[in-house]
Amino acid sequence: GEDVEQSLFLSVREGDSSVINCTYTDSSSTYLYWYKQEPGAGLQLLTYIFSNMDMKQDQRLTVLLNKKDKHLSLRIADTQTGDSAIYFCAESIAGGSQGNLIFGKGTKLSVKP
Amino acid sequence: GAVVSQHPSRVICKSGTSVKIECRSLDFQATTMFWYRQFPKQSLMLMATSNEGSKATYEQGVEKDKFLINHASLTLSTLTVTSAHPEDSSFYICSATHWGGPNTEAFFGQGTRLTVV
């Protein structure tokens, strides 16, 4: 079945760049997403990329997609302490709808001052 | 962005009792709502999909008689955990979307931490 894998932890210093990686298995995924979950809060959509793109930039966020290797990454430039959270990679399996998603286990990003 | 409110945020109940969790879309009509379950250090797992006015579609392995879902209006879906047991303790989170085709964004509630003692 479909599977999304990502590393569980990442620790960086404030001001550095963070790169969170994700691999997925379903080659028919049309959209791939990055969500942020802060303690006690719901998921917040950060950004998404359509499968026919290989890069998308949105302010401090850069998403890279290698469709051949089924590898997705999220780069956060100038990481701040407020970026500390769990980041989930997800793929859609229902024609692009964000409703039916397969999530990774989440990467906990810790930002040290 | 749109707001989805989930209530309660935390609930502790005794084993054998039932618990109802509400998911409301506050500023849009949610034709479809999704219920997820998240175990510690695990990913969110889709439990069921509910469309307004029709029966929910449950994922494989999810007991529909145990997790009752009602989506009676375009702004409210409820998940009732019946005869709860300690193994039902988990973080439950809903999302709501107004179906508009590909890339229609789903908005998530803040989640409900259920503890069954």
Side-chain angles (χ1 to χ4, degrees), chain B:
Chain B
V3 177
V4 172
S5 175
Q6 193 172 333
H7 177 81
S9 58
R10 290 179 181 271
V11 59
I12 301 173
C13 71
K14 290 185 177 180
S15 188
T17 61
S18 295
V19 174
K20 180 184 283 188
I21 302 169
E22 292 186 347
C23 181
R24 291 181 185 273
S25 58
L26 299 185
D27 53 1
F28 70 103
Q29 293 184 324
T31 51
T32 307
M33 287 188 173
F34 302 85
W35 287 94
Y36 293 85
R37 183 175 180 177
Q38 184 183 28
F39 290 104
K41 298 182 181 179
Q42 297 292 319
S43 181
L44 286 81
M45 299 298 295
L46 181 66
M47 298 174 66
T49 302
S50 76
N51 293 296
E52 184 264 339
S54 61
K55 289 184 178 180
T57 301
Y58 290 81
E59 296 299 302
Q60 192 173 6
V62 178
E63 299 174 60
K64 62 180 181 181
D65 294 329
K66 182 168 184 60
F67 299 99
L68 300 179
I69 291 172
N70 183 282
H71 190 167
S73 77
L74 285 170
T75 59
L76 174 65
S77 175
T78 61
L79 167 67
T80 301
V81 183
T82 62
S83 187
H85 290 284
E87 57 265 30
D88 299 324
S89 298
S90 189
F91 187 71
Y92 294 86
I93 194 165
C94 70
S95 72
T97 183
H98 177 71
W99 180 256
N103 199 37
T104 300
E105 184 170 352
F107 299 93
F108 285 80
Q110 68 268 45
T112 298
R113 174 75 60 191
L114 170 64
T115 303
V116 185
V117 297

Side-chain angles (χ1 to χ4, degrees), chain A residues 48-65:
Chain A
Y48 64 91
I49 189 167
F50 187 49
S51 60
N52 69 352
M53 299 169 63
D54 51 21
M55 188 183 90
K56 181 179 180 181
Q57 187 154 2
D58 183 2
Q59 299 182 336
R60 291 192 296 125
L61 305 178
T62 303
V63 179
L64 295 178
L65 174 61

